[in-house]
Amino acid sequence: MRSRWLPLAVLAAALLAGGSLSACSSNNSQENAVDRVLINGEEPARGLIPAAADDDAGIKIIDLLFAGLVTYDQQGKVVNDVAREITDSPDHKTWTIQMNTDRKFSDGTPVLAKNYVRAWKASAAQKLGATTAFEAIDGAEDDGTGNLSGVMANGDYKITIKLKRPVADFSNRLGINGFYPLPDSAFDGQGKIKKEFGQKPVGNGPYTLVSWEPSSRILLDKSTTYRGVRQADNPGIEVKIYADLSAAYQDLLAGNLDVLDQIPDGELPNVPKDLGKNRKSAVQASMQTLDIDYQTKHFSGEEGKLRRQAISQAINREEIIKTIFYNTRKAATDFLPPQILGHTDTGAKNQVLKFDAEAAKQAWKAADEISPWQGELKVTYNSNESNQPWVDAICNQLSNTLGVKAVGDPKPDFKTLLEMMDEHSFTGPFRMGWSMGYPSPNNLLAGRYVKGGNGNKMSYENPAYTELLTRAQAADTPEAAGKLYQQAQALLLDDLPSIPLWSPSSNIGFSQYVGNVTTDWKGEVAFHKVTKK
């Protein structure tokens, strides 16, 4: 319960009554009885309904509360979780999942095939944010919404999925938040997912939700009903919500935080002295970009293409990585993180991601001949994640190279940016990032750049690109798929619907009170494996 100020008379009356204050004290005592691992976090932007979440903060919690049919090992290989066996037809269009029969939700109800099928169908029908991965299923629209006629429960523990086209690695998708199940209690009388369920969800994962105090903390306890491969090695987790990572770093040093999953960039020079061996780093399966909505003035048609090229070539990525990030990033050479199939470091088209002041000036000048630029060039970002230093550096580079006044436009959190994306209210580039949900290049390349993708906030559409992704998904070998994904990226490098900057690293710090701080295939902390000393 959050503490609050009470007038003296009210406080005295409450003490005399002896009821409400003692009840709060009892609840706090119960919540604090578990020796939880203290980690940092942000306020979830879309609540905790699995398929509604398209923000890292929400997915971070949801992944601890729910379990999919599959999960992923440290190398990114698919591992069965609720699924016992997954098979597909020779044409990769019909998938059959046999489920384990001993799985339960935290309320004690069994996890049945209907809990998956009902959740997927309702999520698609209600057009929730993480439904992009449904798009290959029979009945789905291009964005994954609509009537998922291709999914059905055959008895209590068997699911059949029929696809409208071949997808050879479809099982890769089944471990992400959009494919999580929901208990019967999540639905109202009309079969819709209740919004209030997202405030206190009942999951089937390694943890259960104890409480969520908005803008303060989220308490999780180890589940007593989970039987999957992600068994928690700690009794629980307390997610402390921070508006500023610098405050989280100071809490780590003061012993008030156990794990900080992203050390502020400005503190990186101090980390060896401050933390000693209690730190580690891993390249994330993610990509940081500057996105520009095609509906933004000056950024559509040929003029927009020239301006995006100019902005990209005016950014000296290597210089920023060296001076701001202390060499803890990898400069983008295409649209994929370096560890993902289809990534390439070389090629003539990749030059648009290289610093070239003269080419940038020429492109900007050519755009001005179509329609002269007037006023400031605003770069919008969320200020709660140490973004200001690198945004300021980019603005200086754009100003110096292009001869415009580029300025940072800070917003308090990523939730605000998501709202602006929904309203198409940006006037220039905005900070965007994509953390891969499942280990296939299609997750990023389709989720971000196909019409209807939940990460496509730029209104980008290219049918030839979409066709290449479709062919890549149907490829029988990773080698054949990788070549097609590279061809698709060549089209992205021509159009630059967003401007890739770098693949971030997880710069992790932890206290002396915890052990076994490891990372998963995405380079993020595997919180369920952290132990308390």
Side-chain angles (χ1 to χ4, degrees):
M1 178 175 178
R2 283 176 291 174
S3 60
R4 56 179 179 174
W5 177 84
L6 289 173
L8 184 59
V10 175
L11 180 59
L15 287 170
L16 287 173
S20 62
L21 286 185
S22 62
C24 283
S25 174
S26 174
N27 287 340
N28 283 340
S29 175
Q30 184 178 359
E31 288 180 348
N32 294 329
V34 177
D35 189 18
R36 299 180 180 89
V37 176
L38 305 176
I39 72 172
N40 66 294
E42 281 185 73
E43 187 77 2
R46 311 279 199 187
L48 297 175
I49 295 173
D54 55 4
D55 62 308
D56 286 344
I59 294 172
K60 181 177 182 176
I61 307 301
I62 288 167
D63 282 348
L64 297 172
L65 295 175
F66 289 85
L69 292 164
V70 305
T71 185
Y72 313 100
D73 67 15
Q74 198 167 20
Q75 287 71 46
K77 287 186 177 181
V78 172
V79 177
N80 287 341
D81 193 340
V82 178
R84 178 170 56 83
E85 183 182 28
I86 299 176
T87 56
D88 65 326
S89 59
D91 64 358
H92 308 306
K93 290 179 68 175
T94 301
W95 292 75
T96 304
I97 300 103
Q98 297 284 352
M99 296 168 51
N100 284 299
T101 60
D102 61 343
R103 305 307 165 87
K104 294 181 179 181
F105 289 100
S106 60
D107 62 1
T109 58
V111 179
L112 304 175
K114 69 170 185 176
N115 297 112
Y116 283 95
V117 172
R118 192 180 185 191
W120 303 346
K121 284 179 174 286
S123 298
Q126 292 174 230
K127 299 184 177 182
L128 300 184
T131 58
T132 303
F134 298 159
E135 50 77 33
I137 298 173
D138 268 353
E141 302 294 333
D142 289 343
D143 61 357
T145 63
N147 176 23
L148 299 188
S149 59
V151 295
M152 59 206 79
N154 299 314
D156 285 343
Y157 298 105
K158 181 179 177 182
I159 300 171
T160 302
I161 304 174
K162 293 187 179 296
L163 306 182
K164 54 191 175 185
R165 66 172 188 276
V167 181
D169 65 349
F170 186 79
S171 60
N172 277 12
R173 306 186 185 195
L174 297 176
I176 63 172
N177 55 298
F179 280 99
Y180 288 156
L182 293 175
D184 292 343
S185 60
F187 300 92
D188 64 17
Q190 286 72 49
K192 293 184 177 181
I193 302 168
K194 297 183 291 189
K195 185 176 182 181
E196 55 267 31
F197 179 81
Q199 301 306 306
K200 194 165 185 180
V202 173
N204 66 321
Y207 294 89
T208 59
L209 181 70
V210 178
S211 63
W212 174 8
E213 300 171 26
S215 303
S216 177
R217 65 178 184 170
I218 298 173
L219 300 182
L220 310 176
D221 278 352
K222 179 178 179 177
S223 172
T224 59
T225 59
Y226 178 66
R227 297 291 180 268
V229 294
R230 290 190 296 140
Q231 288 291 328
D233 292 331
N234 54 68
I237 291 174
E238 176 176 342
V239 184
K240 301 180 73 172
I241 296 172
Y242 291 92
D244 181 3
L245 280 177
S246 296
Y249 185 71
Q250 293 306 314
D251 265 2
L252 178 66
L253 298 184
N256 298 322
L257 194 68
D258 287 324
V259 182
L260 175 59
D261 62 7
Q262 193 59 54
I263 294 169
D265 300 317
E267 299 289 355
L268 290 175
N270 304 321
V271 166
K273 173 176 63 70
D274 290 344
L275 298 177
K277 294 181 179 180
N278 289 358
R279 57 192 170 96
K280 61 176 48 189
S281 181
V283 177
Q284 296 178 359
S286 61
M287 181 61 68
Q288 187 91 160
T289 62
L290 287 182
D291 287 11
I292 306 172
D293 196 324
Y294 276 71
Q295 299 182 39
T296 304
K297 184 179 179 181
H298 292 294
F299 285 102
S300 61
E302 183 62 22
E303 179 194 357
K305 186 174 182 178
L306 288 165
R307 293 203 189 280
R308 290 191 296 275
Q309 176 190 333
I311 290 171
S312 179
Q313 293 188 302
I315 297 172
N316 190 331
R317 295 162 177 77
E318 286 77 9
E319 181 180 85
I320 292 174
I321 289 171
K322 180 179 179 181
T323 59
I324 303 291
F325 298 129
Y326 302 94
N327 294 316
T328 61
R329 303 285 191 275
K330 186 181 187 304
T333 57
D334 63 5
F335 286 76
L336 288 172
Q339 67 269 54
I340 300 299
L341 175 74
H343 169 81
T344 179
D345 286 319
T346 59
K349 292 185 180 295
N350 302 67
Q351 297 306 306
V352 74
L353 304 184
K354 299 287 187 182
F355 175 61
D356 188 334
E358 189 56 38
K361 290 176 184 177
Q362 291 177 4
W364 193 263
K365 181 180 178 182
D368 276 343
E369 291 174 357
I370 297 173
S371 178
W373 180 271
Q374 294 179 335
E376 295 178 334
L377 175 62
K378 289 185 177 181
V379 179
T380 306
Y381 65 97
N382 53 307
S383 60
N384 62 326
E385 292 184 349
S386 302
N387 290 316
Q388 181 179 347
W390 67 261
V391 172
D392 286 348
I394 281 179
C395 287
N396 287 334
Q397 291 178 349
L398 296 178
S399 297
N400 293 336
T401 301
L402 303 180
V404 298
K405 184 178 181 182
V407 296
D409 179 30
K411 304 300 176 185
D413 50 34
F414 193 65
K415 180 179 180 181
T416 304
L417 263 65
L418 285 172
E419 292 168 352
M420 294 179 70
M421 292 174 203
D422 293 340
E423 297 165 0
H424 303 281
S425 58
F426 296 101
T427 61
F430 57 92
R431 176 259 163 185
M432 185 64 170
W434 184 271
S435 297
M436 297 189 65
Y438 60 93
S440 167
N442 188 70
N443 173 244
L444 187 153
L445 296 179
R448 293 238 48 210
Y449 305 112
V450 167
K451 179 184 178 182
N454 64 304
N456 186 352
K457 307 299 184 180
M458 309 80 61
S459 306
Y460 175 67
E461 183 178 0
N462 185 331
Y465 169 78
T466 303
E467 173 61 23
L468 282 168
L469 291 193
T470 299
R471 290 170 55 197
Q473 291 173 60
D476 284 322
T477 67
E479 292 77 16
K483 291 179 180 178
L484 289 164
Y485 284 125
Q486 288 178 357
Q487 291 177 37
Q489 287 199 83
L491 297 182
L492 292 183
L493 291 166
D494 276 337
D495 293 342
L496 279 184
S498 69
I499 300 169
L501 298 173
W502 42 72
S503 288
S505 292
S506 296
N507 295 304
I508 303 158
F510 50 94
S511 74
Q512 60 182 318
Y513 306 112
V514 293
N516 199 36
V517 179
T518 60
T519 55
D520 59 18
W521 72 272
K522 295 186 287 186
E524 298 174 356
V525 178
F527 291 110
H528 67 285
K529 293 184 178 181
V530 178
T531 58
K532 288 287 284 191
K533 294 182 179 179

